[in-house]
């Protein structure tokens, strides 16, 4: 042992790290022989950055030596996984924490205004033309799903993408997303006659919490029909937590030889894409677009074709999908910010920042509705479309680093101590902050009923939401899918009965006919119109599930449950009167642990009393007429 210590001492004297280093971390000095020269340099930097507390508890050599080495393994990993290393992380944290304590306004010097964008009206000629343009462009797109979260906040212990989007078919979110991408892929290449069909890339950003379970979900379901080579998982790393305003790294309360870590935020997706080399591969393959979306919005892909069409037509470098927003609604607003020095950017401003910003810059009413009954600032839904070439050029400058923020929870008004540790965070929608003034940044507003029904609230919290405000629960998310499908069919000429009001898990919702179809049946309104003919009607109590591409409805009267499942080569015409006892919704208490989590968080289960179900497993022409 003595010779080892002596050799370490000789080495340390050459590195010149005694003096203040030794005085501030005497316990570490006794154990330096355990560390490599690289780890010693890391230790020196940490001491210089005021992190000597990490080693104050270290015992004499020979006690917990493996744990001491493990701490430095973790520190080395945290140092290498953050741009600029831990030194940069700590310096940035100190600046942001000082600003937070001082109450500094992040928008000081900026004046807000309404940016340029496109507001679409579902079903009109403009909307349908954009949908067609978007289908044509889909073959040149890549999709990126940000899926780092568990469903614990929902009362669901699985990964959120494994949660059923709706329970009439039991299709989970990840399956729905993959089937939607495959449908876009096929539809786009059907329009591009003669072109060699390519595969649309699909990237999923995972986390330590979700990576293995996401991979297991894909593999156990044979990637839901997508080729495994199309799918790439990129795992997001966590960052160190901070204990105080001096940005002292927080030790794990359960293990004094570990740094406490938390997710850095979905803004990491940009640096992961950049470092993975995927963007260059996509560019070389002739792709033009990257579409980012989040994990539990079952309506999103109904808005993708038209929104992508807007990006292509308007040549937007960045296109933020948005919905009409009521003033002061708890959703960020897409805003143009112009600085006194001439700088400008189009960015999401959180709702709690928008009102005071407007009042401070000459708008006495603050965040107020205009003559349309909505705020002039569209509601950000965190679904983004980037043009690939400008994206790559910008990331070459930044490496994908996104401007960070910190959100400490202080114990009291003095802002001197935290209730719990905090960390630096970043959001993917803050990417435009790094763009030059000439970047073309716009938005596309789509009707909320068509584009936005996220599932992010548990039943108890949702039941407390004031009437008239969105619940954003599993209950409302499923009902929103049925509503959207019913309204689309109405626009296509089907007579669909009005909904009834019912209460599930304390949430009053509209219950429309339970209509669901595979994305390959109908991606656009024009495609669906072509599959509906004559006089069709669907009663409120009905359920209709279409699982085939070439299924048409002709003079159909449905009062009950109808399920049609067909292979792509089977052309099935459904006509006549279908009447049976159907499927009924039965209330379930979310506290009833005898019911599976994914059911009880909805507050209802489906009692399948009677249905007409037909499967067509061979190619050919068929007529389903009871």
């Amino acid at each position: 042992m003595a010779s080892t210590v002596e050799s370490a001492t000789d080495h340390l004297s050459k590195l010149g790290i005694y003096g203040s280093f030794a005085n501030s971390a005497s316990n570490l000095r006794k154990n330096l022989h355990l560390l490599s020269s690289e780890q010693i340099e890391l230790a020196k930097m940490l001491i210089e950055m005021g992190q000597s507390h990490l080693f104050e508890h270290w015992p004499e050599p020979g006690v917990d030596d493996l744990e001491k080495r493990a701490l430095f393994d973790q520190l080395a990993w945290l140092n290498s996984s953050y741009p600029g290393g831990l030194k940069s992380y700590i310096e940035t944290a100190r600046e942001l924490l000082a600003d937070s304590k001082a109450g500094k306004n992040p928008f000081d010097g900026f004046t807000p205004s309404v940016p340029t964008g496109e507001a679409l009206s579902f079903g009109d000629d403009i909307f349908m033309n954009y949908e067609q343009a978007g289908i044509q462009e889909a073959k040149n797109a890549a999709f990126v799903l940000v899926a780092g979260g568990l469903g614990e906040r929902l009362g669901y212990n699985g990964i959120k993408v494994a949660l059923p989007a709706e329970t009439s078919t039991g299709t989970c979110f990840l399956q729905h997303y993959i089937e939607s991408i495959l449908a876009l892929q096929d539809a786009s290449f059907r329009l591009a006659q003669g072109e060699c069909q390519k595969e649309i890339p699909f990237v999923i950003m995972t986390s330590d919490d979700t990576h293995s379970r996401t991979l297991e979900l894909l593999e156990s379901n044979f990637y839901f029909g997508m080729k495994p080579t199309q799918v790439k998982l990129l795992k997001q790393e966590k960052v160190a937590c901070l204990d105080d305003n001096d940005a002292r790294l927080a030790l794990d309360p359960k293990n004094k030889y570990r740094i406490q870590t938390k997710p850095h935020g979905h803004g990491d997706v940009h640096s992961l894409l950049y470092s993975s080399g995927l963007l260059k591969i996509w560019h070389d393959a002739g792709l033009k677009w990257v579409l980012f979306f989040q994990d539990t919005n079952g309506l999103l892909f109904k808005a993708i074709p038209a929104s992508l069409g807007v990006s292509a037509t308007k040549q937007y470098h960045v296109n933020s999908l948005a919905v009409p927003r009521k003033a002061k609604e708890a959703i960020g607003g897409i805003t143009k910010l112009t600085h006194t020095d001439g700088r400008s950017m189009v960015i999401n401003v959180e709702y709690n920042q928008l009102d005071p910003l407007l009042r401070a810059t000459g708008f006495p009413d603050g965040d107020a509705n205009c003559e349309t009954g909505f705020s002039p600032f569209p509601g950000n839904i965190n679904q983004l479309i980037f043009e690939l070439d400008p994206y790559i050029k910008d990331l070459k400058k930044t490496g994908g680093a996104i401007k960070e923020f910190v959100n400490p929870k202080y114990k009291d008004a003095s802002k001197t101590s935290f209730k719990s540790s905090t960390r630096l965070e970043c959001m993917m929608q803050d990417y435009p902050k790094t763009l030059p003034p000439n970047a073309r940044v716009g938005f596309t507003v789509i009707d909320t009923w068509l584009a936005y029904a996220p599932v992010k609230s548990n039943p108890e919290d949702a039941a407390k939401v004031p009437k008239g405000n969105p619940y954003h629960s599993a209950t409302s998310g499923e009902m929103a899918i049925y509503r959207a499908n019913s309204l689309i069919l109405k626009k296509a000429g089907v007579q669909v009965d009005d909904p009834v009001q019912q209460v599930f898990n304390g949430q009053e919702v509209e219950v429309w006919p339970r209509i669901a179809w595979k994305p390959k049946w109908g991606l656009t309104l024009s495609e669906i119109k072509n599959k509906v003919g004559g006089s069709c009607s669907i009663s409120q109590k009905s359920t209709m599930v279409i699982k085939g591409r070439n299924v048409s409805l002709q003079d159909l009267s449905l009062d009950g449950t109808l399920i049609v499942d067909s292979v792509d080569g089977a052309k099935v015409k459904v006509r006549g009167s279908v009447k049976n006892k159907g499927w009924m919704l039965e209330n379930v208490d979310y506290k009833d642990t005898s019911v599976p989590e994914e059911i009880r968080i909805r507050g209802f289960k489906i009692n399948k009393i009677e249905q007409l179900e037909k499967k067509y497993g061979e190619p050919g022409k068929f007529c389903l007429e009871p």
Side-chain angles (χ1 to χ4, degrees):
M1 174 71 74
S3 60
T4 306
V5 174
E6 286 167 8
S7 63
T9 303
D10 292 341
H11 181 64
L12 293 172
S13 64
K14 292 175 184 177
L15 289 175
I17 63 169
Y18 279 122
S20 61
F21 175 88
N23 295 333
S24 60
S26 58
N27 290 341
L28 174 61
R29 178 182 174 182
K30 296 174 187 176
N31 289 275
L32 283 176
H33 63 281
L34 299 171
L35 309 180
S36 67
S37 58
E38 291 83 5
Q39 290 173 328
I40 292 169
E41 285 289 1
L42 178 57
K44 179 185 177 185
M45 181 275 291
L46 288 167
I47 298 300
E48 291 170 346
M49 296 301 296
Q51 306 296 325
S52 60
H53 67 284
L54 298 176
F55 317 110
E56 287 173 353
H57 64 277
W58 275 26
E60 296 293 318
V63 180
D64 293 342
D65 286 354
L66 290 177
E67 290 293 333
K68 296 167 188 173
R69 287 191 174 106
L71 173 61
F72 267 90
D73 288 341
Q74 185 195 22
L75 286 166
W77 166 72
L78 289 169
N79 190 51
S80 63
S81 62
Y82 184 83
L86 280 170
K87 185 173 188 290
S88 175
Y89 183 79
I90 294 165
E91 288 172 341
T92 302
R94 284 179 180 156
E95 289 178 16
L96 293 173
L97 285 164
D99 289 347
S100 175
K101 184 178 180 181
K104 184 176 178 180
N105 178 5
F107 301 115
D108 190 35
F110 284 99
T111 300
S113 60
V114 181
T116 301
E118 191 80 359
L120 302 184
S121 179
F122 176 76
D124 65 13
D125 289 343
I126 294 173
F127 181 90
M128 293 175 72
N129 287 338
Y130 277 133
E131 277 199 322
Q132 192 72 2
I135 293 294
Q136 290 175 328
E137 285 294 325
K139 64 183 183 296
N140 301 317
F143 286 82
V144 180
L145 168 62
V146 177
L150 296 171
E152 291 170 331
R153 194 171 71 173
L154 302 171
Y156 175 67
N157 286 307
I159 55 175
K160 288 195 283 185
V161 292
L163 193 67
E166 41 79 19
T167 50
S168 290
T169 66
T171 302
C172 73
F173 281 104
L174 186 56
Q175 178 179 357
H176 173 67
Y177 295 149
I178 286 177
E179 289 178 348
S180 297
I181 293 168
L182 291 174
L184 282 166
Q185 176 179 289
D186 292 343
S188 192
F189 280 99
R190 285 201 304 271
L191 288 177
Q193 296 176 358
E195 284 192 34
C196 178
Q197 181 160 342
K198 297 179 291 188
E199 296 167 354
I200 292 178
F202 180 36
V203 171
I204 307 173
M205 186 178 83
T206 60
S207 66
D208 284 335
D209 294 328
T210 64
H211 186 84
S212 60
R213 285 195 264 187
T214 302
L215 186 60
E216 182 184 355
L217 179 63
L218 287 166
E219 290 178 343
S220 62
N221 290 281
F222 305 100
Y223 285 76
F224 298 108
M226 185 173 270
K227 293 181 181 178
T229 51
Q230 277 181 261
V231 185
K232 178 77 172 178
L233 269 59
L234 298 178
K235 186 161 77 74
Q236 173 191 25
E237 302 296 352
K238 294 180 179 180
V239 293
C241 291
L242 307 162
D243 253 344
D244 53 31
N245 285 322
D246 292 327
R248 298 200 327 158
L249 302 184
L251 288 168
D252 190 325
K254 298 178 182 177
N255 186 340
K256 61 185 179 181
Y257 294 105
R258 294 291 184 280
I259 305 296
Q260 188 179 13
T261 60
K262 290 181 182 178
H264 189 219
H266 46 55
D268 278 352
V269 70
H270 303 300
S271 59
L272 283 173
L273 285 173
Y274 180 73
S275 62
S276 71
L278 285 173
L279 298 177
K280 184 180 186 303
I281 293 171
W282 295 346
H283 176 269
D284 293 346
L287 299 188
K288 297 179 183 177
W289 309 101
V290 186
L291 291 89
F292 297 85
F293 64 106
Q294 292 186 275
D295 45 18
T296 55
N297 180 6
L299 297 180
L300 170 69
F301 276 86
K302 297 182 186 302
I304 287 295
S307 302
L308 182 54
V310 170
S311 279
T313 305
K314 300 285 187 180
Q315 298 183 310
Y316 285 152
H317 293 168
V318 176
N319 183 7
S320 294
L321 276 64
V323 294
R325 174 183 168 278
K326 289 283 189 182
K328 301 180 180 62
E329 185 180 345
I331 179 174
I334 306 294
T335 308
K336 181 176 181 179
L337 297 175
T338 305
H339 199 270
T340 50
D341 62 12
R343 287 179 291 139
S344 67
M345 58 183 173
V346 177
I347 199 73
N348 171 66
V349 176
E350 292 300 331
Y351 71 95
N352 58 341
Q353 297 173 316
L354 183 57
D355 186 71
L357 176 62
L358 286 164
R359 292 180 186 276
T361 52
F363 299 87
D365 294 332
D367 184 17
N369 292 327
C370 62
E371 64 277 1
T372 63
F374 291 94
S375 165
F377 299 95
N380 170 52
I381 63 171
N382 264 10
Q383 324 293 334
L384 305 163
I385 303 175
F386 291 178
E387 187 179 350
L388 181 58
D389 280 2
Y391 183 43
I392 291 174
K393 288 175 184 175
D394 188 63
L395 291 191
K396 283 180 179 176
K397 302 174 192 172
T398 66
I402 298 299
K403 189 171 178 63
E404 293 164 307
F405 65 96
V406 68
N407 187 25
K409 301 294 188 290
Y410 298 106
K411 283 185 178 178
D412 53 45
S414 70
K415 295 186 177 181
T416 54
S417 57
F418 305 158
K419 290 180 179 178
S420 60
S421 62
T422 189
R423 84 284 197 188
L424 299 189
E425 299 178 69
C426 60
M427 299 187 292
M428 68 177 181
Q429 68 268 29
D430 281 346
Y431 165 76
K433 289 181 178 178
T434 68
L435 295 178
N438 62 345
R440 293 188 295 274
V441 182
F443 61 79
T444 302
V445 177
I446 305 275
D447 294 314
T448 304
W449 66 263
L450 185 72
Y452 190 53
V455 176
K456 53 188 181 182
S457 298
N458 62 54
E460 200 165 2
D461 289 343
K464 297 174 185 175
V465 170
K467 188 173 181 179
N469 292 316
Y471 296 116
H472 291 167
S473 65
T475 310
S476 61
E478 177 160 355
M479 292 303 164
I481 292 171
Y482 301 143
R483 179 191 187 204
N485 289 340
S486 294
L487 291 174
I488 290 168
L489 286 185
K490 285 184 78 167
K491 196 70 174 180
V494 178
Q495 180 185 325
V496 181
D497 278 1
D498 291 336
V500 297
Q501 299 285 330
Q502 285 187 251
V503 177
F504 302 109
N505 279 346
Q507 304 160 56
E508 186 176 25
V509 292
E510 288 185 347
V511 181
W512 290 76
R514 275 68 70 204
I515 299 170
W517 59 74
K518 293 286 188 185
K520 63 183 177 181
W521 183 72
L523 285 167
T524 64
L525 179 58
S526 60
E527 188 179 9
I528 291 169
K529 279 185 170 182
N530 289 334
K531 293 178 178 178
V532 174
S535 178
C536 294
S537 64
I538 300 175
S539 71
Q540 187 278 329
K541 77 165 195 179
S542 293
T543 300
M544 182 173 71
V545 175
I546 301 176
K547 296 182 178 180
R549 170 177 286 134
N550 298 306
V551 177
S552 61
L553 310 179
Q554 184 75 33
D555 294 315
L556 169 68
S557 173
L558 175 61
D559 184 30
T561 295
L562 170 67
I563 303 168
V564 184
D565 188 352
S566 60
V567 296
D568 289 351
K571 294 186 176 180
V572 183
K573 181 179 287 187
V574 183
R575 59 185 302 162
S577 176
V578 176
K579 187 175 179 63
N580 54 53
K581 294 178 181 177
W583 295 354
M584 305 298 290
L585 299 183
E586 295 183 355
N587 283 67
V588 169
D589 188 334
Y590 75 90
K591 296 177 182 177
D592 184 354
T593 55
S594 69
V595 178
E597 290 176 326
E598 62 269 24
I599 299 299
R600 67 174 184 258
I601 63 173
R602 294 164 203 276
F604 61 84
K605 63 180 180 180
I606 297 175
N607 183 3
K608 300 179 179 181
I609 301 170
E610 187 179 15
Q611 68 274 334
L612 173 62
E613 183 171 5
K614 292 289 185 179
K615 294 187 178 182
Y616 300 89
E618 300 291 335
K621 291 186 176 181
F622 305 92
C623 183
L624 197 173
E625 186 171 9

